Amino acid sequence: MLQRFIFIILTASLFATGYMIVEAQQQQQPIDSPLFHQKGADNEDRAWGIEERMAKMRIQKDKKDHEELIARGLELNEIIGQLEKSFEASGQLSQEDFSKLATAEKLAKKIRNDLGGSNDGDEEELPDVDKKMSTLADAVKLIQSKSEKLIGELKKSTRFTISVPAIQSTNAVIRLAKFLRVRN
């Protein structure tokens, strides 16, 4: 009985809400938003102005996102460069280097996700990487070259493109970072 009463109340309130919405639309009252207060413009012109502003905001956001993507790539390249210098100096990786590797791996994953890639291919073989990373020194050199290739691909890309080589480079950097962390 209580359920039936609740059902009837909800149904009646839905009908009342729908009726009020239809009535409000039929009255076509002007909107009091500051975006609509343009001198001499009718409703169609006002709507176009909003769409234009929204498009400009979207373009600015896309530009900012692309600039941030390149900045993350440069940061990744800098971290890998520090890692390579540290390895050349000592011939091994320190605890600080392992934390840099973890940071580099996170940055590479973020870049890959921003490019539209996914972690589906994490376990697939990367022939150009797998056969070249037999020693620690080879892996460090290879991660540096893949990082530099990634930067080149990011700089060539635009906010309108999806760069498959850049995604492949991030996959290689991630794979090499995991290899280096496990290897030592």
Side-chain angles (χ1 to χ4, degrees), residues 86-136:
S86 173
F87 181 78
E88 286 176 357
S90 65
Q92 61 185 6
L93 298 174
S94 66
Q95 286 300 104
E96 183 180 331
D97 294 334
F98 286 114
S99 67
K100 287 180 183 179
L101 274 172
T103 303
E105 187 177 344
K106 287 178 186 174
L107 277 171
K109 285 180 179 179
K110 176 74 173 137
I111 291 169
R112 179 181 63 189
N113 290 340
D114 289 348
L115 288 170
S118 66
N119 62 352
D120 294 343
D122 277 355
E123 298 305 319
E124 76 181 35
E125 290 190 27
L126 300 171
D128 66 323
V129 173
D130 291 337
K131 58 184 168 181
K132 292 181 183 176
M133 59 183 194
S134 57
T135 66
L136 201 58

Side-chain angles (χ1 to χ4, degrees), residues 22-90:
V22 169
E23 282 297 314
Q25 287 177 347
Q26 287 177 353
Q27 291 179 3
Q28 293 183 356
Q29 296 178 348
I31 299 176
D32 290 334
S33 170
L35 294 175
F36 282 88
H37 291 293
Q38 298 176 354
K39 293 182 181 177
D42 62 352
N43 284 342
E44 196 172 305
D45 290 340
R46 291 177 196 155
W48 175 250
I50 290 174
E51 289 175 10
E52 188 176 334
R53 286 186 199 115
M54 293 296 288
K56 285 180 182 179
M57 289 171 52
R58 221 178 357 259
I59 290 169
Q60 289 173 347
K61 183 187 180 307
D62 288 346
K63 283 181 182 178
K64 181 182 172 210
D65 290 347
H66 189 256
E67 290 169 359
E68 288 175 357
L69 181 69
I70 292 173
R72 274 193 290 281
L74 291 170
E75 182 181 357
L76 172 68
N77 195 34
E78 183 180 327
I79 290 170
I80 298 295
Q82 292 170 358
L83 181 77
E84 184 182 36
K85 286 179 185 175
S86 173
F87 181 78
E88 286 176 357
S90 65

